[in-house]
Amino acid sequence: MQAQALAAALSPRLGRTEDMAGIAAFLFSDDGEWINGQVWSICGGMHLRG
C-alpha cells in the first residue's frame, strides 16, 4: 500500500506527524491570524485538483 500511495502522490515521501504540526503552528501564529474559513488539503499531492 505504501508503494501505491507514493506512486500516486506528487511528494517523494509519506507524510509525517511533523508535517501537520508545522501547519498547526503556522495557523496559531501571528502569521496565520488572517487565515480563516479555509479548507486545506494537506496530502502530499494525493488529491491534486486542477
Side-chain angles (χ1 to χ4, degrees):
M1 289 181 69
Q2 286 183 2
Q4 288 176 332
L6 286 172
L10 296 177
S11 179
R13 63 171 176 80
L14 296 175
R16 300 182 195 124
T17 305
E18 302 88 59
D19 297 328
M20 296 302 291
I23 293 163
F26 168 72
L27 290 173
F28 283 109
S29 75
D30 289 341
D31 292 330
E33 70 181 341
W34 273 84
I35 298 172
N36 57 63
Q38 303 300 308
V39 176
W40 290 4
S41 180
I42 305 162
C43 62
M46 292 287 293
H47 300 112
L48 188 64
R49 297 178 188 183

